[in-house]
Amino acid sequence: MKKSWKMVAGIVLAATLLVSACSNNNNSAGSSTNGAVNGGESQTPVKLSAFINQSPNLASLDNPFTKLVEEKTNVKLSFTVGPPNDNNDKRNVLMASGDYPEIFLSGNFTPAEQMKFGKQGVFLPLNDLIEQYAPNIKKIFEERPDLKTAITSSDGNIYGMPQVNECYHCWYAQKLWINQKWLDKLGLDMPTTTEEYAEVLRAFKTKDPNGNGIADEVPLSGALYTWHGDITGFLMNPFIYNNGDGQSFSYIRVKDGQVQLSANQPEWKDGLAYLASLYKEGLIDPQAFTQNQEGLQQLGNNVGETILGSFAIGHVQMAVAATDERNQYYVAVPPLKGPNGVQLSGYYKSVGNQGRFVITDKASEEQQIAAIKMLDYLWTEEGTRGQVFSVEGHSWSKASADQLNVNGKPASYQVDPSYRSETIHTDGWDQAGPDFRPRDRFESEAVSQDMLSPEGYELRLVTETNKYEGFEPKEDEMFPTDIFISAEDGEKAAQYKATVEDYVRSNMLQFITGHKDIQKDWDSYVQGFGGLKLSDYLKILQSAYDANLNKMK
């Protein structure tokens, strides 16, 4: 009897050791799925508290994609939800209170903030975790050393992982759209210079292109507080490079290795004089400097006659609804050439180094490993499409053999048309997470080859964007958006940046609208930068720029 019990005990012990060995072997393989199943039984999911911004277009985060992430990576997510357009207020409150979660999925921490919290030990370095537990990201770094360089801080640590969105039409987002139907009716060519554009605006204003016998046409409009709706971005670039308002480092350029402010140069004065002349003639909609996107949409979708001649914004459907036939009237104006031969396009190619994803010091070792494995999955094609759209079979599926992408090549996946038409989605994270969309992934979607059809809109954007490629400044003339400023200088730089940019914006508006005289008040305006410590700001940026050059060598 004793021998029988010993045999049974030995068998049970051997089985236990075998299961344990299998479990250990699975874990040591560095699987990005966090070891979900062993011997037919699931491990206990690792609980993770996570901050994420929930889009108003997303019904709930308790959806099929969230469940898929949890199943694939063996985690259980507990969300702290922030609104998408609160300027990171809720995030800041969490950080200030000390009651922040183990991870952020929508952190949007600037390089300066990453350095600050990294130095304090609040954000944990990700280098070793990626090396040991994120084989997918590790491979991406090997293939894209530029990406790894961009997100590595000056102390050598990676504190945050970005959302990489290599959208071609976003690289050249500073566009001006013009009513081609009006050009054709009035017998006008596409303008190529600032003076030709002014002549077109005069014709739009005075020659009744909508044919209703009423002077109701709006030659040029735009919208502040939206994506590249500021008309001064596009219209200053025929004079001097202007990356526009709301960028990482607005109004900054590099000349002969020296970081400069564009907005106090003589060429900026010339650009302001041009804009002021258009405004004085009534060719610029006064509301362009105060209205938001909704105001611009009211012009573009005007009930009755077409009244909008041209407008600045990232893409045409932001101003004129896709369901409105007039959406098809508008085409992009190529970069205009200024009186001194300057012809530039705004350029925003960036791998991104805002920390969407960070791990905080609240996370245990087990949670750190689980979190980085989850991120490794989120950077796969499946994980990225899930964040943007949904799980496979809900809003997207694999493309058929005859479907083509925007480059006329075989597509990888197709998006259900219902996704584009729905205002409320029930799946995915609506791009709130740290997804990875390099250009080849971004452009692998199947699209109609009829670019004026709703399904061909991405092809239309690529086609229109081709007009801008090649007009961006040389690489050594642009201040990089992917740049780290030391923790010591970060807060000062942020303060200088805010005051300088506010000063530029307010004065630009006053010069254009005639409240300040460009000839009489220019010198006083330039001298005003002295009190804003512009030289100190530029000194910090120069130091960061030089360090960035050394990092890339």
Side-chain angles (χ1 to χ4, degrees), residues 88 91 107-120 123 147 149-163 247-249 350-358 479-494 497 540-541 544 548 551:
N88 298 319
R91 182 208 73 177
N108 297 327
F109 292 100
T110 66
E113 289 171 329
Q114 293 173 51
M115 290 286 289
K116 171 187 173 183
F117 290 119
K119 188 174 182 179
Q120 293 174 358
F123 292 169
L147 171 58
T149 298
I151 64 177
T152 301
S153 64
S154 55
D155 66 5
N157 286 320
I158 297 173
Y159 294 110
M161 291 291 286
Q163 177 197 56
Q247 305 310 307
S248 298
F249 299 96
S350 166
V351 298
N353 61 2
Q354 283 203 331
R356 274 286 177 106
F357 175 92
V358 299
F479 190 79
T481 55
D482 300 324
I483 198 166
F484 277 85
I485 296 176
S486 69
E488 294 77 14
D489 290 335
E491 291 188 18
K492 288 187 292 184
K497 177 181 185 295
I540 290 174
L541 297 187
N548 189 65
K551 186 171 68 170

Side-chain angles (χ1 to χ4, degrees), residues 392-442:
E392 183 176 1
H394 282 221
S395 295
W396 70 273
S397 58
K398 290 182 174 61
S400 59
D402 61 339
Q403 289 181 298
L404 302 178
N405 63 23
V406 293
N407 299 309
K409 297 179 180 179
S412 297
Y413 70 101
Q414 59 181 327
V415 178
D416 193 291
S418 63
Y419 177 85
R420 309 290 188 191
S421 60
E422 291 170 350
T423 55
I424 300 297
H425 301 140
T426 58
D427 200 355
W429 289 352
D430 209 27
Q431 303 185 44
D435 58 64
F436 179 66
R437 280 177 287 168
R439 188 172 176 183
D440 59 340
R441 285 188 187 178
F442 191 95

Side-chain angles (χ1 to χ4, degrees), residues 10-48:
I11 292 170
V12 170
L13 177 60
T16 302
L17 290 174
L18 180 61
V19 171
S20 176
C22 291
S23 174
N24 287 338
N25 286 338
N26 285 341
N27 283 343
S28 65
S31 168
S32 64
T33 59
N34 207 26
V37 179
N38 293 305
E41 296 183 5
S42 298
Q43 294 179 350
T44 302
V46 178
K47 295 180 179 179
L48 285 173

Side-chain angles (χ1 to χ4, degrees), residues 320-333:
V320 187
T323 54
D324 193 319
E325 179 187 352
R326 292 172 292 190
N327 177 279
Q328 299 182 14
Y329 296 175
Y330 295 92
V331 297
V333 180

Side-chain angles (χ1 to χ4, degrees), residues 42 59 71 86 100 172 179 206 267 271-272 337 359 400 479 500:
S42 298
E71 291 170 4
D86 69 343
Y100 45 82
Y172 300 89
N179 191 321
T206 62
E267 299 92 336
L272 289 177
K337 184 177 291 187
I359 300 177
S400 59
F479 190 79
V500 167

Side-chain angles (χ1 to χ4, degrees), residues 109-168:
F109 292 100
T110 66
E113 289 171 329
Q114 293 173 51
M115 290 286 289
K116 171 187 173 183
F117 290 119
K119 188 174 182 179
Q120 293 174 358
V122 174
F123 292 169
L124 303 182
L126 305 179
N127 309 50
D128 291 342
L129 288 169
I130 291 171
E131 179 68 25
Q132 295 180 57
Y133 303 106
N136 176 50
I137 295 174
K138 184 179 176 182
K139 182 180 178 183
I140 290 171
F141 282 172
E142 291 170 355
E143 296 172 348
R144 291 285 306 272
D146 61 314
L147 171 58
K148 184 176 182 181
T149 298
I151 64 177
T152 301
S153 64
S154 55
D155 66 5
N157 286 320
I158 297 173
Y159 294 110
M161 291 291 286
Q163 177 197 56
V164 175
N165 181 11
E166 292 187 334
C167 157
Y168 175 62

